Amino acid sequence: MTQLVVAGLDKAFGHHQVLAGLSIDVPAGSLTAILGPSGSGKTTLLRILAGFERADAGTVRIGSAVADGPGTFLPPERRRIGYVPQEGSLFPHLSVADNIAFGLKRGQRRGKEGCGQRSAELLDAVGLAGFARHYPHQLSGGQQQRVALARALAIRPEIVLLDEPFAALDAHLRASVRGDVQQLLRAAGTTTVLVTHDQDEALSTADRVAVLRQGAIAQYAAPQELYTQPVDADMARFIGDANLLPGILNGSTVQTLFGGLAVARADASVTSHCPATVLVRPEQVELVTASPESGHAGAGEADYLTGRVIGYGYHGHDAVVTVQPDGGPQPPPLPVPPVITVRTQGAGALPPGTRVTLRARGPVLAWPEPTGGD
């Protein structure tokens, strides 16, 4: 197993700075997802790791060897990296077996085994035993991606790079192929970097997720930590659905449209009555049938909030309800957001205009406004 360490990576194309001081440490044998919107530098980073581009500054270390750094640059063929592009990019004139063996025929070490034996082993591993004589046009999109992965693994790489390899597949096939690829890579113990713009893919597949923002890593954490403990409001908005509400911090609680809510990570240095942005995930909001007349709830749960439904989406395993709130408890007066998103299970269809009552469950995250609020 091989560790991948990137430190202080810079890359610009003309006057456009794509990567700026990017650093990341990928543990040996792990699967790390690089997540970011289009244009955030994900593919540029992957091309630098593969050796297709050279960094302007910084270092790329594969195991104990520097692959890219001051005075050092290893070409792609010397990095022992397997690369799987988005479309698979199989050679249409070669059979499946010959596609897989292509890297070996280009001079990679074969040891005691021949190309045919290695191809057969990998075809069996990716669930395509018996397809050796087929050609790419005879395969489905998912099968082509499996062959592309087998080709990348044929050279017994130290690192595998996956450049949005499931993006072209339909939703059902994408989930199936992704699971198979994940299982195969874990069984091989290969250090893997997956580039994707799909949050669900990153969170469900990777051991750790690195979010790219303005050419650097904004947060690098396990999927659960990334979702439950985003570093700031922008990260919360980017990872999953988020209700970002105005609030007033006061020690270990924050006053919101839902009344007082417990704060997950209270900052002792924050002064009382500090304006803040509060994260309430949709699954923390309940649709309740109780009357809001009581006005107050217990610890960790707050006051009721009323509103009307303006959107309802049924997803089978749950439903997402969009509510236009009426307002919140007084005092203090707080700006009312245009919508509150609720994720619920077991609720019947709620047509637009339906009056509903909401309640939030804490604890929540709250970020003090840097200038005290405007």
Side-chain angles (χ1 to χ4, degrees), residues 65-130:
V66 175
D68 194 344
T72 303
F73 181 76
L74 290 180
E77 64 272 16
R78 293 182 56 194
R79 297 193 181 196
R80 294 193 63 79
I81 282 181
Y83 181 77
V84 181
Q86 181 171 333
E87 300 294 339
S89 298
L90 300 179
F91 299 109
H93 63 292
L94 297 180
S95 68
V96 165
D98 288 339
N99 262 284
I100 294 174
F102 183 81
L104 298 174
K105 290 180 178 180
R106 297 287 293 180
Q108 297 291 347
R109 294 169 55 188
R110 289 178 286 174
K112 297 181 180 180
E113 61 192 12
C115 294
Q117 180 183 344
R118 181 65 176 149
S119 295
E121 290 175 353
L122 287 166
L123 278 174
D124 185 60
V126 299
L128 292 176

Side-chain angles (χ1 to χ4, degrees), residues 333-349:
L334 292 169
V336 179
V339 297
I340 298 289
T341 302
V342 184
R343 181 175 290 112
T344 183
Q345 294 180 339

